[in-house]
């Protein structure tokens, strides 16, 4: 009887030991599974986050095509027009990459660098130029006055880069315009107290251009801005200086779009300066006889001054705006060049 009792106890101890071992294996299996699930969830979340962040980053970056026919035509036009050092040849407003002069030649302002000098960015901005990448990528300023100031004797005009899907479809040929300009280094008399540094610039790019040119050439008229329904726009804050214009809801008819009106001497050239406006601007109602200015601005970009056409005989300037997002038209936005 004692042997049977001892044998039963041994078997019970064996069963208990086996149960404890099985429970230990189950705990290890559960812990291992939990670790695998935790690591897998973290890896999945990190992968998803990285994919979303990469997509958002790519959506904010410019997209440039590799070297092709567009770049070759641009380079050929620049080489044919080149007159350095008698004058500069500007590759043009419609950039191929962020550093057009390095890629296709010429001597323009459109460079990208994280070391862009503050004085350069501030000077070109004061003259009505635009930039991207929060000021690191300054642009070409297609303007007769600044071309005279910087001795741009030849300027290339290209259609918008068709590789960038947001640009309008335009297959017009590359052309070159020329104008007589002073030499690269020009000396002229000036009053001893005259200051033409950055500190002398005021809020108007037209007056700042005249300061460097040395003479008055612009009429900067009072202007009236109206919303699509003919109302008075609200005045914006520091981020949107001037009068606020908003993108229409849905597809607005031409008659329902915001407008800018002013009076200028007949025959003068109309420029629009609206650094915090995004969309298009057109002088009058006939697209066949006037240019369409394209403006792009956001938290990292401001738009450059645009040439829109010639003031009609009536002297009445009417600019039709087609905003793509909320922006603003500043005071003194219109300049009419003699």
């Amino acid at each position: 009887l004692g042997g049977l009792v001892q044998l039963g106890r041994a078997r019970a101890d064996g069963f208990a030991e086996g149960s404890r071992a099985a429970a230990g294996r189950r705990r290890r299996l559960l812990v291992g599974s939990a670790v695998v699930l935790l690591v897998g969830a973290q890896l999945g979340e990190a992968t998803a986050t990285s994919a979303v962040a990469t997509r958002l980053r790519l959506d904010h970056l410019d997209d440039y095509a590799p070297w092709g026919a567009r770049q070759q035509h641009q380079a050929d036009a620049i080489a044919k027009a080149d007159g350095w050092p008698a004058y500069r040849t500007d590759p043009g407003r419609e950039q191929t990459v962020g550093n057009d002069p390095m890629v296709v030649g010429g001597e323009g302002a459109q460079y990208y660098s994280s070391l862009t000098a503050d004085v350069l960015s501030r000077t070109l901005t004061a003259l009505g130029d635009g930039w991207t990448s929060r000021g690191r990528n300054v642009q070409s300023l297609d303007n007769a006055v600044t071309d005279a100031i910087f001795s741009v004797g030849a300027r290339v005009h290209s259609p918008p880069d068709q590789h960038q899907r947001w640009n309008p479809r335009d297959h017009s040929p590359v052309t070159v315009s020329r104008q007589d300009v002073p030499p690269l280094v020009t000396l002229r008399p000036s009053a001893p107290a005259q200051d033409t540094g950055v500190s002398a610039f005021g809020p108007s790019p037209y007056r700042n251009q005249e300061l460097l040119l040395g003479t008055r050439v612009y009429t900067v008229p009072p202007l009236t801005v109206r919303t699509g329904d003919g109302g008075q726009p609200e005045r914006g804050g520091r981020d949107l200086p001037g009068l606020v214009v908003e993108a229409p809801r849905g597809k607005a008819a031409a008659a329902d779009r915001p407008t800018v009106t002013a009076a200028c001497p007949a025959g003068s050239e109309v420029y629009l300066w609206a650094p915090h406006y995004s969309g298009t601007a057109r002088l009058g109602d006939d697209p066949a006889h006037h240019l369409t200015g394209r403006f792009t601005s956001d938290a990292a970009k401001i738009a450059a001054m645009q040439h829109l056409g010639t003031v009609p005989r009536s002297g009445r300037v009417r600019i039709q705006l087609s905003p793509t997002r909320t922006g603003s038209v500043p005071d003194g936005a219109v300049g009419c060049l003699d």
Side-chain angles (χ1 to χ4, degrees), residues 168-202:
R169 300 300 91 186
D170 184 346
H171 298 282
S172 56
V174 174
T175 60
V176 178
S177 61
R178 296 176 180 270
Q179 71 172 6
D180 293 330
V181 294
L184 290 170
V185 178
T186 306
L187 303 179
R188 64 176 175 81
S190 62
Q194 185 179 19
D195 181 9
T196 56
V198 175
S199 61
F201 291 141

Side-chain angles (χ1 to χ4, degrees), residues 228-250:
D229 58 5
Q232 176 72 34
E234 296 181 358
R235 186 162 288 275
R238 186 171 65 178
D239 293 338
L240 289 176
L243 297 173
V244 175
V245 290
E246 298 181 350
R249 296 178 181 178

Side-chain angles (χ1 to χ4, degrees), residues 205-238:
Y206 304 111
R207 299 305 180 215
N208 294 336
Q209 290 182 16
E210 292 172 338
L211 178 67
L212 297 186
L213 187 68
T215 188
R216 281 291 176 98
V217 291
Y218 282 106
T219 297
V220 182
L223 52 85
T224 300
V225 181
R226 293 294 183 211
T227 61
D229 58 5
Q232 176 72 34
E234 296 181 358
R235 186 162 288 275
R238 186 171 65 178

Side-chain angles (χ1 to χ4, degrees), residues 305-326:
M305 178 187 297
Q306 296 282 322
H307 177 216
L308 300 184
T310 305
V311 179
R313 291 182 179 180
S314 65
R316 184 171 181 267
V317 174
R318 183 179 183 275
I319 300 171
Q320 186 180 92
L321 304 178
S322 297
T324 55
R325 65 172 66 188
T326 299

